Amino acid sequence: MQHTRLLSTMLFLCAAIASHGQSFPGYHTSQYAGIHAVPFNPALAAGTRYRWDVNIVAADVKAGNTYIRFNKSSLLSSDGKNNKLVRNVDYFPDSLATRKQYAWGSADLMLPSVLYSIDERQSIAFTWRVRGSVYGGDVKTTTANFFALDYPNPRFMQKTFADEYGGTFGHAWNEFAFSYARVIKDNGDHRWKAGLTLKYLGGQAAAYAVGRDASFIFDNPNQVDINSGRFYYAYNEEMDEVSGNNWNTIYNPFQNPGIGADIGVVYEWRPDNDGFNSFQEGGDWNQDADTWKARLGVSIVDIGGISYSKSATSANLDMRAQDFPASELRKKKGESMRSWTNRLASTFAPLEREDKFYMNLPTSLNLMGDYNIDGRFFVSASATVALTGGRKDDNKTSALTQLQVTPRWESTHLGAYLPIQVNRYGQTDAGVVLRAGPLVIGSATLFTTLFRETINHADVFVALRVIPIRFNRWSWDKGNGGIFRKKRNQLGCPDI
């Protein structure tokens, strides 16, 4: 097949722009993240460093899998016989693993968005995002080997393969979100913030394919006995209008409406506040924003989902069959997805199905801890825990559970971040993020990717924003200063 290498690279790195973890990893907990911190925890918008913050455009893309590692040079090279990736040369399947195998990917495009501080205690924000998420797997390695290693491989003939479950889920949607955050309690040493985001969702594309209780044996490369198995698949009816790969033909931010929400709380410990309230210094806005020594945050994000009408070709099927022609299971060359699914539906016995399905958002619990070392150096820890997963629900989008620790250096206009993270599959990474005025660029897997010959996951993000910039002695001489500047300059009046 022509262009196989290019297609494989795009699928691996971009997941066809379609699991979702932390956006802007490493940078998302910074006191300078502004509008980009709101998706992680809406309470972070309160008491921000900025009077206003405008995102022009930002993109965060990540993808990975546990089964196949790719040779970096092969992915980037245009050479190769028939443009095909060669097993054990260009890619290396983990065929001896005893664990189950997974794959995931996400894309988050933040379009023009704005955060505005009403005063030093409360803020509002509007964010416009186009998001996509895919997640699949939970299959045995033996099942993955059967289909990935020279299918149909004669050495797998006359062997029974059984797998309780395997699924793939994809979802793409538009999101208009309105956030409100405020300081709800402040008694000097202790400050509490809360935030709420309400979202108007517009579903663009959703699909799932799930197999349950499958048991089959290939008598020969052309004949299979399917002793048990149920197959459930569906996609929204708008996808029938897609011509080729022209997905923009179905984009409509107001179709398939749904409702979503985020909610969050942040606690700040300010032991050196000495009873002084916030103050203005050098004309900058809200210099009291980072006068905390430590802070903790918790949020639940992406609550909700979207209801879709199923395409007419969606079906629930009983797959049992004896002496079945194996070639009939394949999608034939030049055959459309609709024709293929219609053929499957007409071949196997149908099960009861509904005309609609509900695809939830990748609901997750976000946790955060942040420690202010000396006003310029900080260390933070954050975790995302997926709350939608398992095998019960076929119509789900799932986040990627992961833990991250990030040392960082901050000043008013510059920042450097070193995220170190581990995900639920045991993949450990280190990366770097740089902030220079309005530009932020980074990758939580950069160092890992550079120092490994083969890779099975990667991420990258970039953001361009407009923020207030003041060039004065406080901006550069003493960085944020935080609690340490306040101790040097006892301004304002204490509470009585």
Side-chain angles (χ1 to χ4, degrees), residues 61-93:
V61 179
K62 52 178 64 71
N65 78 103
T66 60
Y67 182 60
I68 296 177
R69 301 190 66 88
F70 293 86
N71 189 316
K72 288 189 300 183
S73 59
S74 298
L75 286 173
L76 299 175
S77 172
S78 60
D79 299 329
K81 193 173 183 179
N82 296 324
N83 282 335
K84 291 184 178 180
L85 293 173
V86 180
R87 180 160 53 91
N88 295 328
V89 175
D90 301 311
Y91 69 94
F92 306 87

Side-chain angles (χ1 to χ4, degrees), residues 122 150 159 175 185 190 216 250-251 254 274 321 361 413:
Q122 55 185 338
D150 300 324
K159 294 182 179 181
E175 184 176 292
K185 186 177 182 180
H190 309 284
F216 58 92
I250 65 170
Y251 175 73
F254 301 103
D274 294 331
L361 299 184
H413 304 300

